[in-house]
Amino acid sequence: MKITKKFFSLFIVLLLAISILSACTTSSTDSNDAKVGSLDPNNPVTITFYSYSLALPTMKPGMEQLIQEFNDTIGKEKGVVVEGIADQTFQQFKADIAAGKEVDVIQHVFSTLDNSKETLGFKAYEDVFPKDELEEHLKGIAPNALELGKIDDKMYGLAFTFSTPIMFINGKLFEEAGLDPNNPPKTWDEAKEHSLKIKEVTGKDGFGLAPNNGWVTEGIIYSNGGEMLSEDRKEAKFASKESVEAIEMWQEFYQNGSHAVGSDTELSEQFMAGNLGMYISSTALHSGVVKAAEAGGWELYGAGLPQFGDKPSVPVNSGSALAVRADSSEKNAAVWEFIKYVTGNEGYTTITSEIGYLPLRTELAEDPKYLKGFVDENPLYKINLEQLKEIKPTTIWPAEYATETSTIFNDAIIKAVSTDAGVSETLTEAKNQINKMIK
Amino acid sequence: MSRLLEDDYQSPLTNETRVTKKVKRKGKRRKTFKPYLYLLPAILFLGVWMYKPLLSTFFLAFQKWSMVPGTIPEPVGLENFLRLFNTKDFPISIENTIFYTIGVLPFSIVIPLILATVTNDMNGKAKNVYRAIFFIPMILAPVTVSAIWRWLFHPTNGLVNNLLLKIGIIDDNIAFFSDPRFAKWLILFMTGWGLIGFSTIIFSAALTNINKDYYEAASLDGATNFNRFIDITLPLLSPTILFMLTMSILFSSQFTFAYIDILTQGGPFGSSTNIYYEMYKYGFSNLNVGLSSAAAMLFFFVFGIITLVLNYVSRKFAFYDN
């Protein structure tokens, strides 16, 4: 009897202990002290950096180089080791945070920043980094870029990689079709004409913009005078006459036989294989596209986002911000060193020349010490720097339903563009669904 | 002392039975202890990895929580369930779960049954060569399989499109995985293709257990191949068929998951998603563990009922050759 009793009580205690242990989570300590701790080069602090650029073949070498450069210079000198972690689907960092792992710096997209701030314990820069140093560092970064990561007047993300849409052009296909790649189409009507011509002469698709691109779409809506969300972000407004017209234009284009079909990945593969005349995507693909053009033996040209008639086009930015959630003063100090480096002059020079994103410190493009030589060699960047004037930020969907609402919007666009569904009905239905959630 | 006195008043017979009872009870105790000891590892593992998460799921279905360490679940009553039914892709995910479950049956039962029976009559090496060929898709990693199929069905650079264009069946390239007419059929087909090998092996194993004498007797009586299949093979395979039916129904959603995640992410516009993928999205992409748990809880009950029904059917219709 004694043995069984003992055994059972032991068993129960064991079960309880296990359940308590597995329910137990590391609690995060909040520090509102904006002073950072001190670093010791002999005893380096390791911080993790979750980056989607590390997961994409076109960007990986550049991002790895950036991290390596930091570790070899400032990191070594001050005692910081940055460990890059590839995060292709923007889910690894969430899963790892949920699992209680150390996730210190995250390359985060803008559209769901508000949501992550609420749910993942992101810190505001003002709360964790020294005020004077922060102000000093932000000087020289394009002010509208700084606004992007601000929520309720606090910076939860510092704009990091940044690009506008660009129309990559395959010079060889243009010339075969008797078109001039130095004089690319400016309006959507011209783009359609060019596209049909290329298809007719070469048999290859003339134009490509993937319905699931996720961000260029907003630029098309804005370019025709449409809107995404109301100012107070309490109402979706993308089903207006202007938006519907814009998407109807794209639907007609997509289905006219000369537009490439498929997902964004498939379209980029098609363009890089030399089988597509024009392809709208992010400048982030630049380094990959340049290599593909060299390998395929064709010239790469470029143009901005086409416009509707004589209305100037309004592109949105794609890209990411750096969000931080370090939880000790030493870590804050380490994170701050890393952020200063990668968003500083050296960092942006590497980001632009090795990956393809725009330098948010725009004067670097004029500085012979940094990027002037590169921009002169790659005139495509001038198009993008030019587009920065008209640029609008991508929509930051309201916190609680951010992922659901952005999915509803993107799915509605895919349905409207790639099927025979009525554009107006599809967008209105999606708008109503979203409004039911966010009002 | 009192004991002795008591004993004096009792008849020797009752005294004897008491003593033996005591001894027996002691032995019984030792016996009851041992089986629990043997069960302990299993109970521990099941407890930690199955029952605790199961109970947590039931608890979390009524909470709002993002799983971030340091935050506390907040009770919200039935809100998660209401939100679940209003979620855009939930109804379609149920519909697709049924589609995948039923669609996979030919690949898990009908085709393997034919393949197993046909290869069973083969002699020597041919039998094993064929079975190895059927089984290979099963042991390929879904990620590898997806990559290969993605290239095959690539809208411009893919073999399938090029072939169809050359033959003249289509005029324009088809983006198979971005087209709601094809995406879920391809996922179904890929899952089925992988499953065929597994089922064939199971059926083949069951076939070798059938006594050859039945076939010989039937042949002597003039039964054709087909008759023998219907009257001997099928009834004797019925337990295996019912087992595969249960497996196939319960696991088809899991088998499709990897392909959905890699090839379509549930798209285009949610048309190829299933309940497993939605649960994963709610939980690990939207970090809404409450919603995910609510879906899991519904799923648990629905599939629990299906399992009970299948168990009943299996008991009723399976025929054992005893």
Side-chain angles (χ1 to χ4, degrees):
Chain A
M1 190 73 183
K2 252 187 191 166
I3 301 168
T4 359
K5 234 185 182 173
K6 220 178 183 179
F7 163 67
F8 271 112
S9 44
L10 197 80
F11 176 67
I12 286 164
V13 166
L14 214 81
L15 261 191
L16 272 177
I18 287 166
S19 56
I20 288 168
L21 274 176
S22 51
C24 177
T25 50
T26 49
S27 61
S28 63
T29 47
D30 265 292
S31 73
N32 283 326
D33 186 12
K35 271 183 211 143
V36 295
S38 54
L39 293 164
D40 174 12
N42 298 320
N43 201 1
V45 178
T46 303
I47 55 172
T48 53
F49 174 44
Y50 283 66
S51 159
Y52 61 81
S53 294
L54 280 173
L56 302 173
T58 48
M59 307 185 196
K60 188 176 175 226
M63 190 53 79
E64 276 176 343
Q65 186 183 328
L66 182 67
I67 296 172
Q68 196 56 47
E69 277 172 6
F70 172 79
N71 282 341
D72 289 346
T73 57
I74 306 280
K76 212 172 215 173
E77 188 185 308
K78 302 239 164 124
V80 183
V81 176
V82 174
E83 190 189 324
I85 293 161
D87 189 355
Q88 183 165 18
T89 51
F90 315 115
Q91 281 172 12
Q92 192 65 44
F93 75 91
K94 293 182 186 175
D96 283 359
I97 289 173
K101 286 195 190 172
E102 306 270 338
V103 179
D104 301 316
V105 184
I106 300 140
Q107 182 188 10
H108 201 286
V109 289
F110 289 102
S111 60
T112 52
L113 189 62
D114 192 15
N115 177 288
S116 295
K117 172 208 128 200
E118 294 283 315
T119 55
L120 297 172
F122 287 0
K123 305 271 163 68
Y125 276 58
E126 291 85 346
D127 293 345
V128 289
F129 300 132
K131 195 166 168 261
D132 327 335
E133 278 188 47
L134 184 64
E135 275 172 12
E136 185 57 35
H137 181 68
L138 298 184
K139 275 181 200 158
I141 298 183
N144 53 350
L146 287 178
E147 283 304 310
L148 296 174
K150 279 192 182 161
I151 299 164
D152 303 332
D153 288 330
K154 277 192 174 178
M155 193 158 77
Y156 285 92
L158 171 59
F160 175 47
T161 55
F162 201 85
S163 72
T164 59
I166 186 158
M167 187 158 79
F168 292 113
I169 288 173
N170 181 326
K172 195 173 154 207
L173 289 181
F174 256 59
E175 276 154 15
E176 274 174 31
L179 301 163
D180 178 11
N182 285 312
N183 188 15
K186 283 218 168 51
T187 65
W188 285 104
D189 290 337
E190 285 170 25
K192 266 185 207 175
E193 275 169 34
H194 280 59
S195 172
L196 285 166
K197 191 79 197 280
I198 291 170
K199 182 80 182 186
E200 196 189 303
V201 178
T202 68
K204 293 187 170 153
D205 292 330
F207 178 90
L209 170 61
N212 74 338
N213 67 71
W215 63 291
V216 180
T217 311
E218 292 180 22
I220 298 178
I221 288 177
Y222 288 135
S223 296
N224 201 37
E227 280 178 281
M228 288 296 296
L229 283 182
S230 63
E231 291 245 314
D232 60 359
R233 298 196 300 144
K234 292 234 162 76
E235 196 191 348
K237 293 188 137 177
F238 54 76
S240 66
K241 198 173 127 263
E242 292 83 6
S243 314
V244 170
E245 259 176 34
I247 303 301
E248 272 172 351
M249 179 286 299
W250 187 12
Q251 182 191 42
E252 200 265 320
F253 197 178
Y254 192 82
Q255 295 177 21
N256 77 1
S258 74
H259 193 300
V261 291
S263 69
D264 206 18
T265 326
E266 288 166 339
L267 260 57
S268 69
E269 285 160 354
Q270 182 178 354
F271 185 77
M272 292 198 203
N275 293 328
L276 182 58
M278 297 169 266
Y279 169 53
I280 296 191
S281 187
S282 155
T283 29
L285 291 184
H286 183 259
S287 57
V289 172
V290 168
K291 277 185 205 125
E294 272 167 21
W298 43 274
E299 259 328 282
L300 177 69
Y301 294 84
L305 185 72
Q307 60 190 48
F308 288 87
D310 47 15
K311 288 179 263 185
S313 63
V314 186
V316 292
N317 68 287
S318 100
S320 63
L322 289 178
V324 295
R325 58 189 302 287
D327 53 14
S328 70
S329 57
E330 286 85 46
K331 279 223 162 156
N332 276 337
V335 166
W336 182 225
E337 289 302 330
F338 179 60
I339 284 179
K340 274 197 294 193
Y341 182 82
V342 295
T343 56
N345 294 347
E346 282 79 16
Y348 272 122
T349 304
T350 305
I351 289 173
T352 303
S353 57
E354 300 303 319
I355 303 178
Y357 283 110
L358 291 178
L360 284 181
R361 296 181 182 275
T362 39
E363 75 266 25
L364 294 182
E366 310 288 327
D367 193 334
K369 225 171 98 198
Y370 294 105
L371 281 168
K372 188 166 190 309
F374 177 78
V375 173
D376 287 346
E377 253 173 59
N378 296 277
L380 258 66
Y381 280 86
K382 293 204 177 111
I383 299 165
N384 272 72
L385 290 168
E386 198 61 24
Q387 284 195 112
L388 274 179
K389 285 178 207 147
E390 295 286 349
I391 202 157
K392 269 200 181 186
T394 36
T395 309
I396 296 186
W397 297 94
E400 202 196 330
Y401 291 95
T403 7
E404 278 116 316
T405 44
S406 71
T407 307
I408 293 175
F409 172 71
N410 283 320
D411 281 358
I413 293 293
I414 295 170
K415 192 173 178 185
V417 172
S418 69
T419 70
D420 298 329
V423 174
S424 176
E425 293 83 45
T426 312
L427 291 188
T428 310
E429 197 194 325
K431 183 198 78 173
N432 292 340
Q433 273 178 348
I434 290 177
N435 282 341
K436 231 164 72 186
M437 289 180 173
I438 62 177
K439 72 175 173 208
Chain B
M1 182 72 185
S2 63
R3 178 89 202 176
L4 279 176
L5 278 176
E6 253 179 48
D7 283 349
D8 284 347
Y9 285 106
Q10 274 170 341
S11 66
L13 191 72
T14 37
N15 194 22
E16 214 182 293
T17 45
R18 234 190 201 190
V19 174
T20 44
K21 251 188 191 169
K22 238 183 183 174
V23 172
K24 260 188 190 167
R25 215 185 282 157
K26 238 184 186 172
K28 229 183 191 174
R29 243 183 257 146
R30 223 170 264 146
K31 262 183 202 157
T32 46
F33 168 67
K34 251 190 182 169
Y36 287 108
L37 189 68
Y38 292 133
L39 280 176
L40 181 68
I43 289 176
L44 261 181
F45 278 105
L46 282 176
V48 174
W49 302 115
M50 304 286 288
Y51 297 117
K52 195 198 159 260
L54 188 69
L55 292 177
S56 310
T57 305
F58 289 169
F59 169 74
L60 287 169
F62 302 95
Q63 315 284 320
K64 187 178 156 187
W65 191 38
S66 63
M67 290 192 288
V68 177
T71 56
I72 297 161
E74 166 195 332
V76 288
L78 289 172
E79 200 195 283
N80 285 328
F81 291 91
L82 291 175
R83 187 163 165 184
L84 185 64
F85 289 112
N86 285 317
T87 303
K88 176 180 81 87
D89 288 340
F90 185 66
I92 200 168
S93 75
I94 304 251
E95 202 179 287
N96 283 344
T97 307
I98 298 170
F99 168 83
Y100 289 131
T101 310
I102 295 175
V104 117
L105 291 178
F107 299 100
S108 63
I109 311 266
V110 183
I111 299 173
L113 203 55
I114 296 168
L115 291 179
T117 321
V118 172
T119 51
N120 197 42
D121 294 338
M122 287 179 171
N123 295 317
K125 276 187 180 156
K127 188 178 187 169
N128 289 332
V129 169
Y130 274 107
R131 285 182 178 172
I133 292 174
F134 299 142
F135 195 66
I136 284 171
M138 182 70 200
I139 51 174
L140 292 177
V143 179
T144 324
V145 172
S146 305
I148 295 169
W149 284 69
R150 197 175 80 81
W151 289 330
L152 280 176
F153 285 88
H154 195 282
T156 45
N157 311 339
L159 262 183
V160 175
N161 261 309
N162 283 337
L163 209 68
L164 291 177
L165 276 172
K166 278 224 171 88
I167 302 173
I169 294 178
I170 54 170
D171 296 325
D172 290 317
N173 297 324
I174 300 173
F176 287 97
F177 292 112
S178 307
D179 191 323
R181 285 170 301 173
F182 297 106
K184 68 177 177 184
W185 284 97
L186 276 174
I187 286 175
L188 173 67
F189 189 72
M190 289 166 65
T191 315
W193 176 72
L195 263 180
I196 287 177
F198 177 63
S199 293
T200 309
I201 292 291
I202 302 270
F203 283 131
S204 302
L207 276 175
T208 49
N209 282 336
I210 297 179
N211 196 334
K212 291 270 185 296
D213 296 349
Y214 295 134
Y215 292 107
E216 276 167 28
S219 307
L220 288 177
D221 287 341
T224 60
N225 267 341
F226 182 73
N227 283 341
R228 279 182 284 164
F229 176 75
I230 295 291
D231 294 327
I232 302 171
T233 313
L234 269 190
L236 288 174
L237 277 186
S238 60
T240 318
I241 294 175
L242 284 163
F243 164 72
M244 276 315 298
L245 183 73
T246 316
M247 286 276 294
S248 169
I249 288 176
L250 296 182
F251 290 114
S252 61
S253 311
Q254 278 185 39
F255 292 147
T256 44
F257 182 91
Y259 301 117
I260 295 175
D261 189 37
I262 295 164
L263 291 169
T264 67
Q265 287 85 46
F269 45 91
S271 62
S272 68
T273 187
N274 76 4
I275 183 78
Y276 258 78
Y277 193 68
E278 286 304 298
M279 263 155 52
Y280 167 74
K281 256 176 39 185
Y282 300 150
F284 296 100
S285 158
N286 304 2
L287 281 188
N288 188 341
V289 76
L291 196 63
S292 186
S293 302
M297 203 173 144
L298 281 180
F299 185 71
F300 175 79
F301 284 116
V302 171
F303 272 65
I305 292 167
I306 293 175
T307 317
L308 288 178
V309 171
L310 283 170
N311 250 337
Y312 171 78
V313 171
S314 166
R315 241 178 288 133
K316 195 134 195 213
F317 294 104
F319 176 81
Y320 294 94
D321 177 27
N322 290 326

